Amino acid sequence: MILLDGKKISDEIKSEIKVSVEKLIRKKERPPHLAAILVGDDGASLTYIASKIRSCDQVGFKSSLFRYNSDISENDLIKKIEDLNINREIDGFIVQLPLPKHINEQKVLLSIDPRKDVDGFHPTNFGKMALGLKSFIPATPYGIMKLIEKYDIETEGKSCLVVGRSNIVGRPMSILMSLRGRYGNSTVTLAHSKSKNLAELTKKADIIIMALGIPEFLKYDMIKKDSTIIDVGITRVEDKSKRRGYVIKGDVDFDSVSKKAKFLTPVPGGVGPMTIAMLLQNTLDARL
Ligand code: GUN
């Protein structure tokens, strides 16, 4: 089994980004500037945002965090976004999801200027991505495509099963894997909560992308020998023996699946760090 080492690959990508930033600085230009909007105090969102800000520091980006209470109105949030849209010091920004229930997520995402939408969630970017045009690609699918490219995993004509149809991961992933290209050209199946006989589908797949959110769901007897397994799951499972009180579990039963798969991502250290590296890449592209 070959471990798809997202930590290592993301460190390489971040080093390349850092070199690009140093070039800008030598030319007396300002570094890229990523801003993030965080509404409320969801623990997982706070962790992700902290990690994104730390990564900005590592590569020499400027970062800004705008935090609001969970009772902020939809209108006020959209006003903040409109401020960022016209702020010439900010190259790209993200609105961390999920948002509180009283806020319409689609309306908020629509208010982001697509040129600053480094998450690639605006319909303009999503549409361009689906057409295979240059756009900001959502960071998690982009990171998975990068891993596939770096490890030169054969995708043409392969059966690829994506499990989970979220707008952030599953659906864009299903589109990218079916696009024409060196790393694409797969025969894609998109499974979701209403799919029947999931194990029948997983057993037939050459490539499985798990974005289901059920810890250790995918087991040894559910996969084909020498398949490629990408684990996007990051569920917090209570573990009182840990200082934090929880451990992070992926959607894949790593120990058993590693005995049968050819390529496998670990959790942590697989898709997670790639997501952050690609968000930085999108921000650099927004600056240049
Ligand atoms: N919530 C979970 N993943 C993401 C992401 O990639 N971007 C944003 N903005 N929110 C998220």
Side-chain angles (χ1 to χ4, degrees):
M1 189 273 296
I2 296 167
L3 200 68
L4 300 174
D5 191 343
K7 175 73 177 70
K8 176 172 146 256
I9 304 292
S10 68
D11 281 344
E12 289 170 12
I13 292 168
K14 285 198 273 188
S15 297
E16 289 165 16
I17 292 172
K18 190 164 182 227
V19 170
S20 299
V21 174
E22 285 161 358
K23 273 192 198 148
L24 282 172
I25 303 296
R26 270 201 303 277
K27 288 195 284 182
K28 306 266 185 258
E29 293 188 36
R30 63 166 182 79
H33 184 176
L34 173 68
I37 292 180
L38 176 61
V39 180
D41 50 11
D42 174 66
S45 290
L46 279 163
T47 308
Y48 299 148
I49 288 284
S51 186
K52 289 170 185 177
I53 290 173
R54 219 179 311 118
S55 298
C56 281
D57 294 342
Q58 281 174 5
V59 298
F61 284 11
K62 193 172 170 202
S63 64
S64 300
L65 173 59
F66 300 95
R67 285 193 69 175
Y68 303 105
N69 289 333
S70 55
D71 61 359
I72 187 174
S73 73
E74 188 178 281
N75 271 343
D76 285 349
L77 180 59
I78 289 175
K79 278 200 200 103
K80 302 291 177 193
I81 291 172
E82 286 166 350
D83 286 346
L84 296 182
N85 282 341
I86 57 170
N87 184 330
R88 298 175 66 115
E89 300 292 307
I90 289 172
D91 302 293
F93 64 95
I94 63 168
V95 178
Q96 188 65 29
L97 303 179
L99 289 168
K101 294 250 180 307
H102 68 279
I103 296 176
N104 180 329
E105 196 171 286
Q106 282 310 318
K107 207 168 154 192
V108 166
L109 297 178
L110 261 173
S111 71
I112 299 174
D113 183 334
R115 290 168 299 185
K116 294 194 175 188
D117 170 39
V118 287
D119 256 334
F121 293 168
H122 189 283
T124 293
N125 282 314
F126 203 93
K128 284 183 172 175
M129 176 206 65
L131 295 169
L133 302 173
K134 195 169 158 27
S135 66
F136 293 120
I137 298 173
T140 301
Y142 194 8
I144 294 170
M145 295 310 290
K146 262 290 167 225
L147 272 181
I148 289 173
E149 179 190 318
K150 293 279 180 181
Y151 284 86
D152 196 26
I153 295 169
E154 185 95 30
T155 59
E156 182 161 314
K158 301 289 180 192
S159 58
C160 172
L161 176 70
V162 179
V163 184
R165 58 178 157 183
S166 73
N167 293 341
I168 298 181
V169 182
R171 195 171 306 278
M173 203 58 233
S174 70
I175 293 169
L176 292 169
M177 289 300 287
S178 71
L179 285 177
R180 288 178 197 277
R182 173 75 180 86
Y183 303 97
N185 288 340
S186 285
T187 305
V188 177
T189 303
L190 180 55
H192 46 75
S193 54
K194 301 281 187 283
S195 298
K196 299 211 160 60
N197 294 328
L198 201 49
E200 292 302 310
L201 299 173
T202 57
K203 271 186 225 167
K204 287 192 194 129
D206 300 308
I207 301 165
I208 304 178
I209 294 153
M210 289 296 298
L212 187 64
I214 302 179
E216 299 180 329
F217 176 85
L218 192 74
K219 301 214 162 21
Y220 183 91
D221 57 1
M222 294 167 75
I223 69 162
K224 187 159 139 179
K225 187 157 170 31
D226 291 332
S227 50
T228 295
I229 314 289
I230 312 266
D231 189 351
V232 191
I234 31 161
T235 307
R236 292 181 174 196
V237 176
E238 190 182 292
D239 184 340
K240 294 221 168 69
S241 73
K242 298 281 184 257
R243 191 170 48 86
R244 289 191 260 181
Y246 65 87
V247 285
I248 300 287
K249 293 264 184 214
D251 288 351
V252 177
D253 177 23
F254 186 91
D255 290 343
S256 77
V257 165
S258 63
K259 296 187 174 78
K260 199 172 183 185
K262 178 163 180 203
F263 294 104
L264 175 60
T265 60
V267 174
V271 174
M274 290 302 293
T275 295
I276 295 186
M278 302 330 285
L279 174 65
L280 298 177
Q281 182 66 59
N282 280 344
T283 307
L284 176 66
D285 293 344
R287 172 76 184 86
L288 296 177

